[in-house]
Amino acid sequence: VASAAVVVMSASRGTLVGVIAVAAVLAVALGRAAARRRASVLVVGAGLATLAAAAFALPFTRSRILGSSPLAATTVSGRGLLWQETARLVGGRWALGVGPSGFLDGIGVDHSRTWQVRFGAAFPPDSPHNWVLQAASAGGVLLGVLAVALAGVVLWRGWRAIGSQSTPGERGTFAGLLAGVAGYGTALMF
């Protein structure tokens, strides 16, 4: 309940998308056995519906989800521009990136005129707010590709680990762990 309250009150759309990823992984992983499929999907769906109802009940969270707050529109367009400029930064330094913790210094030089007009220099971003672009900016395209490959291996091994457990409780625990990792990775994309 506390976790759900934090997610709803944070009004973070990336976190809400992460919760959807958690629900999807849980529904699929827990519903692998035909006898439990319907019950698992119903429980996960009820939890997701309750979270959605709570998110729409809070005015600030609802306005962020629907894009009706000025902050919501600004963060979406700003994030898109930041990702474009990060891709340009990585493209210019594709072999080695800008190094660990070098994003703040590296992106400042590469900010476009559009960025300067819309956002100025008051609050420079310290990261691209996307874990794949963060890896690529820190260590080049190869590190970005390795980060995606590692995420794929974690998901694949997690899925296999669920199936290799001998009891329903153990399978449920591993499904929850995999769902948490999937949700966190999804939220970090934003």
Side-chain angles (χ1 to χ4, degrees):
V1 172
S3 297
V6 168
V7 166
V8 168
M9 289 187 286
S10 75
S12 167
R13 291 165 294 185
T15 302
L16 292 168
V17 172
V19 168
I20 293 169
V22 167
V25 169
L26 283 176
V28 171
L30 295 176
R32 287 173 78 169
R36 288 185 275 258
R37 185 169 294 129
R38 177 171 285 151
S40 297
V41 171
L42 288 175
V43 168
V44 171
L48 197 56
T50 302
L51 193 73
F56 279 97
L58 291 175
F60 181 69
T61 305
R62 181 178 56 244
S63 68
R64 296 267 300 167
I65 292 169
L66 297 176
S68 59
S69 77
L71 182 60
T74 302
T75 57
V76 169
S77 63
R79 196 67 48 88
L81 183 58
L82 180 60
W83 291 344
Q84 288 173 358
E85 293 192 354
T86 301
R88 192 170 53 247
L89 171 74
V90 171
R93 296 163 184 86
W94 64 271
L96 297 175
V98 294
S101 301
F103 182 82
L104 180 62
D105 297 326
I107 198 69
V109 175
D110 283 353
H111 276 315
S112 65
R113 178 87 172 126
T114 304
W115 179 276
Q116 296 298 335
V117 169
R118 288 181 62 197
F119 302 106
F123 300 105
D126 61 348
S127 78
H129 297 277
N130 179 300
W131 65 268
V132 175
L133 291 174
Q134 180 71 35
S137 69
V141 173
L142 180 59
L143 186 59
V145 169
L146 287 173
V148 171
L150 180 60
V153 168
V154 167
L155 292 174
W156 175 68
R157 294 283 295 154
W159 187 258
R160 287 182 42 123
I162 293 168
S164 69
Q165 302 310 306
S166 59
T167 68
E170 290 172 341
R171 285 190 292 277
T173 299
F174 275 75
L177 292 170
L178 180 62
V181 168
Y184 186 60
T186 300
L188 288 178
M189 291 297 292
F190 304 100

